Amino acid sequence: MTSLSFRPGSKQDPSYAHEDGSHSLLVTDIIQRGTASQIYRALTDPTSLAAWTGEPAGETSEGVRWSIAEFGLTATTAELVLGERVAVTMECEGWPTRSSVAEIRLWPTPRATMVVVTHRGLSEADLEHARQMWAPRVLDRMRWYICAVGPQSSPVGVVDRGERG
């Protein structure tokens, strides 16, 4: 077991090597005003996935398959624990490792949900690609979707400047 020296929710993303030569990356984020069930639905429901990824999503015999073409990402749900955890098998175009697994855990907190992504089976060369994909891209895109569809939805930390007069 690897011990981590970071504060959950700090957006630090420590990576670590395994004995088999593969690497894992840990990314944490907090989605304000998003419940664990909303985020779970956004990761598992084909209609919700299509809404926030901008790409078609659909049921297959392996699970729900979805993609984000602009990131070169294709994913299939592999394991689900209702409202708590989603594991996806990922294929990332142009990465040295063609297939890897990301486990997305949801931790409810008052008025927010902490999202903890553990992306396993990466080569060392994939780590920077994975860092750039998760926090600034995939999770941010999902956050805006959750803020748009959730009850009392409004993006926290974004100021509407209104009309300039």
Side-chain angles (χ1 to χ4, degrees):
M1 181 70 131
T2 304
S3 70
L4 302 172
S5 58
F6 73 101
R7 183 178 59 80
S10 66
K11 293 192 179 184
Q12 292 182 16
D13 53 3
S15 61
Y16 45 96
H18 298 281
E19 290 178 10
D20 65 1
S22 68
H23 288 73
S24 289
L25 174 71
L26 185 71
V27 179
T28 64
D29 204 348
I30 293 194
I31 297 185
Q32 300 286 346
R33 297 189 187 182
T35 66
S37 62
Q38 288 173 318
I39 297 166
Y40 181 85
R41 190 172 32 258
L43 290 165
T44 59
D45 174 60
T47 304
S48 298
L49 278 160
W52 72 266
T53 63
E55 305 278 339
E59 299 273 350
T60 68
S61 59
E62 292 86 33
V64 177
R65 190 156 177 84
W66 52 278
S67 63
I68 304 177
E70 71 182 274
F71 306 156
L73 166 67
T74 303
T76 305
T77 56
E79 296 176 38
L80 305 171
V81 176
L82 185 63
E84 295 177 14
R85 179 177 161 281
V86 177
V88 293
T89 303
M90 303 184 71
E91 299 162 21
C92 297
E93 202 174 282
W95 289 23
T97 305
R98 295 297 291 165
S99 182
S100 56
V101 175
E103 179 182 69
I104 304 162
R105 290 191 170 268
L106 308 173
W107 301 93
T109 65
R111 296 181 301 276
T113 299
M114 184 166 66
V115 178
V116 179
V117 179
T118 306
H119 196 154
R120 293 184 173 91
L122 300 167
S123 71
E124 190 171 4
D126 294 324
L127 289 173
E128 192 55 37
H129 295 290
R131 281 186 187 100
Q132 292 174 11
M133 180 190 68
W134 280 109
R137 293 181 172 177
V138 174
L139 294 176
D140 280 354
R141 185 177 280 195
M142 186 174 59
R143 172 185 294 106
W144 284 105
Y145 170 76
I146 296 295
C147 286
V149 300
Q152 307 166 340
S153 54
S154 68
V156 173
V158 176
V159 177
D160 180 4
R161 293 189 176 115
E163 293 184 29
R164 295 182 186 230

